Amino acid sequence: MAELTGLADDRALLGRTSTAERVADILRSRVAEGYFLPGTRLSEDSIGGALGVSRNTLREAFRLLTHERLLVHELNRGVFVRVLTVEDVEDIYRTRTLVECAVVRGLGEPPYALDDLAHAVGEGQRAAREGDWKAVGTANIHFHRELVALAGSSRTDEVMRSVFAELRLAFHVVDDPRRLHEPYLTRNREILETLRAGDRDGAEHLLAVYLGDSLERVVEVYARRVADGAQGID
């Protein structure tokens, strides 16, 4: 399976104290990075062999990710990467707006620690120059993950890791990733520069408008693709 490429390299991350939670962390990251597509069946034998973990450990990791709505268990068929509904996408953006805007609003007095945010901006620009629009989408997720990390809250980071992984599932359905992601390269830099200037209120406004526009664009495309898929089934 192509999506298993490099997964064995993650085996070292498990160390000697392998746990279902750490396996789930790896698989969640793989979903967020775009290695497992929506609707993909996850093979216990292949993934367990690549990571060197027991079937019971892997099943517990699957259970955790099912609880996070990243995977779904289908009776007598196995475990699959979840295909989101339009309502799921709308809820993801509601959560993002609540959390991300609150993080910016609560930053306190400047200067802010923006090196990781700047790195994510640069990552997206490099990917765009190379014409790798999937990587641009990944860099965009990295940008928002680092934005949330400015809160310095491990609990918030944990909640949003799952949200961003779900967001990647929505991105996979978009048939023109360049059209989706390219406008946000400039907008990410605008938010970064506004925070560098110490304008927290201005950055929050830019972010709120950004997320509203992104929701409208993603839902429009996603709804059309979901409808096309349903017609194909008929």
Side-chain angles (χ1 to χ4, degrees):
M1 298 170 65
E3 59 268 18
L4 294 176
T5 302
L7 189 59
D9 296 337
D10 289 332
R11 185 171 178 171
L13 299 176
L14 297 175
R16 294 184 178 181
T17 57
S18 173
T19 65
E21 288 82 1
R22 295 174 73 180
V23 173
D25 283 344
I26 289 172
L27 295 179
R28 186 188 302 106
S29 295
R30 286 279 165 165
V31 170
E33 299 296 326
Y35 288 94
F36 294 112
L37 300 178
T40 300
R41 182 180 180 276
L42 301 185
S43 166
E44 289 185 1
D45 291 340
S46 297
I47 293 176
L51 291 175
V53 297
S54 71
R55 188 179 297 269
N56 286 340
T57 295
L58 186 59
R59 285 178 175 174
E60 176 62 14
F62 284 169
R63 188 192 68 78
L64 293 171
L65 295 179
T66 299
H67 180 69
E68 294 178 16
R69 298 176 299 278
L70 294 178
L71 306 181
V72 60
H73 179 266
E74 297 186 10
L75 189 62
N76 299 325
R77 294 193 64 216
V79 175
F80 295 80
V81 180
R82 190 160 172 259
V83 178
L84 302 182
T85 65
V86 172
E87 291 75 19
D88 289 325
V89 176
E90 292 171 338
D91 194 39
I92 287 168
Y93 273 88
R94 277 193 294 269
T95 303
R96 291 185 66 195
T97 301
L98 285 170
V99 174
E100 293 186 49
C101 289
V103 166
V104 174
R105 191 181 316 124
L107 282 179
E109 296 301 316
Y112 309 119
L114 301 174
D115 288 349
D116 290 337
L117 203 64
H119 178 78
V121 169
E123 178 187 353
Q125 292 175 332
R126 286 190 297 273
R129 286 194 296 269
E130 295 168 2
D132 188 346
W133 297 100
K134 176 181 175 181
V136 172
T138 298
N140 188 36
I141 290 175
H142 289 172
F143 175 86
H144 290 276
R145 186 181 67 196
E146 297 303 337
L147 186 70
V148 169
L150 292 175
S153 167
S154 59
R155 291 176 178 81
T156 305
D157 290 343
E158 183 177 352
V159 168
M160 294 305 291
R161 272 197 300 270
S162 296
V163 172
F164 290 137
E166 282 191 274
L167 181 64
R168 168 61 84 174
L169 297 181
F171 285 172
H172 280 310
V173 178
V174 176
D175 55 356
D176 188 353
R178 177 172 185 169
R179 182 171 178 269
L180 176 65
H181 298 304
E182 189 171 31
Y184 300 104
L185 292 168
T186 299
R187 298 175 81 163
N188 286 349
R189 176 164 288 282
E190 288 176 348
I191 291 171
L192 171 64
E193 295 302 332
T194 303
L195 287 173
R196 276 179 171 159
D199 184 1
R200 182 185 58 195
D201 293 341
E204 183 187 352
H205 174 73
L206 288 173
L207 179 61
V209 174
Y210 174 125
L211 291 173
D213 291 346
S214 182
L215 169 62
E216 183 177 346
R217 182 182 294 263
V218 173
V219 165
E220 176 191 1
V221 175
Y222 199 86
R224 184 171 65 248
R225 291 300 303 274
V226 169
D228 290 345
Q231 290 173 4
I233 292 173
D234 294 339

